[in-house]
Amino acid sequence: WLKTLGNAITNGRSVLIENIGNDLDPTLSTVLSRSVFRRGNVMYLRLGEEEIEYNPDFKLYFQTKLSNPHYKPEIASQCTIINFIATER
């Protein structure tokens, strides 16, 4: 899945990661924090052990089936969390 994510980051595509739990893979921390650096005119991002080109059009979406997820503060501060639960009246 890291290779697929790396290709999406390089090509500026969107990625949807489904059924995540309360904890995320630590590898995603550089992606969430957008730890991008420049080398010349090219932007790079460290993903795992390698440095890949970063395209600013890249988008990352998470989806969970948890009814009331609680994420660590450092994750919640780096994301926009939207609750799509519909309730009956």
Side-chain angles (χ1 to χ4, degrees):
W1 66 272
L2 272 179
K3 185 158 181 79
T4 303
L5 183 62
N7 287 336
I9 293 170
T10 301
N11 297 318
R13 297 206 171 105
S14 298
V15 173
L16 171 65
I17 300 177
E18 297 180 304
N19 299 329
I20 62 168
N22 282 329
D23 295 320
L24 297 177
D25 191 315
T27 309
L28 294 173
S29 64
T30 56
V31 178
L32 291 176
S33 64
R34 296 180 189 98
S35 301
V36 178
F37 59 94
R38 284 190 178 270
R39 225 182 254 151
N41 289 334
V42 181
M43 295 191 302
Y44 289 91
L45 176 86
R46 180 173 277 290
L47 182 65
E49 297 295 318
E50 59 182 315
E51 295 173 355
I52 58 172
E53 284 188 42
Y54 176 80
N55 186 323
D57 295 332
F58 168 73
K59 303 283 188 236
L60 179 63
Y61 299 96
F62 294 121
Q63 179 269 331
T64 184
K65 289 187 177 181
L66 300 174
S67 60
N68 193 13
H70 292 284
Y71 296 104
K72 295 178 184 175
E74 56 270 11
I75 293 173
S77 67
Q78 295 171 341
C79 301
T80 301
I81 299 174
I82 302 171
N83 187 346
F84 286 106
I85 293 179
T87 57
E88 293 184 37
R89 289 186 187 199

